[in-house]
Structures are given as structure tokens and as C-alpha cells.
């Protein structure tokens, strides 16, 4: 169909890379690097869309890994999912993408994240 993707390019970003959703500051280097990635995704979506490649930035949510365990206090306020649950959800979202999604910043619930 007209909305189907020829290919999908999913870039793992993070909500902290959202300029519009930054209510706490801090994490300058990490936030800046993710904001730069998000800009890259938007640019790539325009260019690669001509070839039916759907490009999205994706915030995976909080997944139970060694990295997130190091932030035990901070992660207490989030819905922490197992690696298996997260992988299943991520693949379902990737499979559901259409060209209408290209250039979007989505989270693990498939909700738009502010740029």
C-alpha cells in the first residue's frame, strides 16, 4: 500500500533527548547526544522517505538491565520491564510502522514524544 515501508530504520533514543519534555535539566552530554540523534532521525526521514525507508527515534522505556539497576532510586518511579517483554513490544512497534510514522519520536507505548 501507499503507506507501507520499504524498510525501517529505528534509532534508539531516550526521552531525556526531548527538548520539549525537559523539566529537570542535568545530564548535559547524554541529553545533548540524544537531541542530536533525534535531529539526525528527522533529517534522515526526509531524505530516506524518498526511498520508502521509515525512520523513527524510539524511547525504549526502562528495561531491567545492569545499566538501569545502577539507578535503582530513579527507576523506582518507572514501569520497569524485563528484557524479554521490552524486546517483544519493540518488535511489535517496528512491525506496525508505516510511512506516516516516519520522522516520529515514539516511546515504548507507541506514544509520540515531544521533540
Amino acid at each position: 500500500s501507499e503507506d507501507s515501508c520499504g524498510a525501517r530504520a529505528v534509532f534508539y533514543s531516550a526521552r531525556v533527548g526531548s527538548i520539549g519534555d525537559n523539566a529537570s535539566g542535568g545530564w548535559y552530554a547524554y541529553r545533548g547526544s540524544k537531541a542530536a540523534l533525534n535531529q539526525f532521525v528527522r533529517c534522515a526521514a526526509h531524505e530516506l522517505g524518498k526511498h520508502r525507508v521509515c525512520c523513527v527515534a524510539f524511547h525504549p522505556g526502562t528495561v531491567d538491565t545492569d545499566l538501569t539497576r545502577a539507578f535503582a532510586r530513579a527507576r523506582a518511579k518507572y514501569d520497569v520491564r524485563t528484557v524479554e517483554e521490552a524486546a517483544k513490544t519493540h518488535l511489535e512497534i517496528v512491525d506496525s510502522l508505516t510511512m506516516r510514522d516516519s520522522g516520529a519520536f515514539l516511546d515504548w507505548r507507541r506514544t509520540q514524544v515531544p521533540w
Side-chain angles (χ1 to χ4, degrees):
S1 86
E2 190 174 300
D3 288 336
S4 64
C5 305
R8 294 167 181 86
V10 179
F11 298 85
Y12 276 74
S13 186
R15 187 174 298 277
V16 297
S18 167
I19 295 169
D21 191 41
N22 182 352
S24 62
W27 293 37
Y28 298 103
Y30 189 69
R31 283 183 190 275
S33 69
K34 293 302 184 179
L37 172 66
N38 294 345
Q39 178 69 293
F40 174 88
V41 171
R42 288 287 288 199
C43 291
H46 288 292
E47 296 297 320
L48 296 176
K50 300 170 190 171
H51 305 284
R52 307 211 48 78
V53 177
C54 175
C55 297
V56 297
F58 184 68
H59 168 62
T62 305
V63 181
D64 186 25
T65 64
D66 290 342
L67 174 69
T68 63
R69 283 184 214 111
F71 300 97
R73 188 181 314 140
R75 81 178 214 165
K77 63 184 175 182
Y78 299 107
D79 178 16
V80 180
R81 294 167 304 120
T82 67
V83 171
E84 295 78 15
E85 291 169 329
K88 181 179 184 296
T89 302
H90 298 180
L91 289 172
E92 288 170 353
I93 290 171
V94 170
D95 285 344
S96 74
L97 294 173
T98 70
M99 289 306 296
R100 287 188 218 178
D101 297 307
S102 195
F105 185 5
L106 301 173
D107 73 8
W108 61 276
R109 289 168 286 201
R110 210 180 191 295
T111 303
Q112 291 268 348
V113 177
W115 290 108

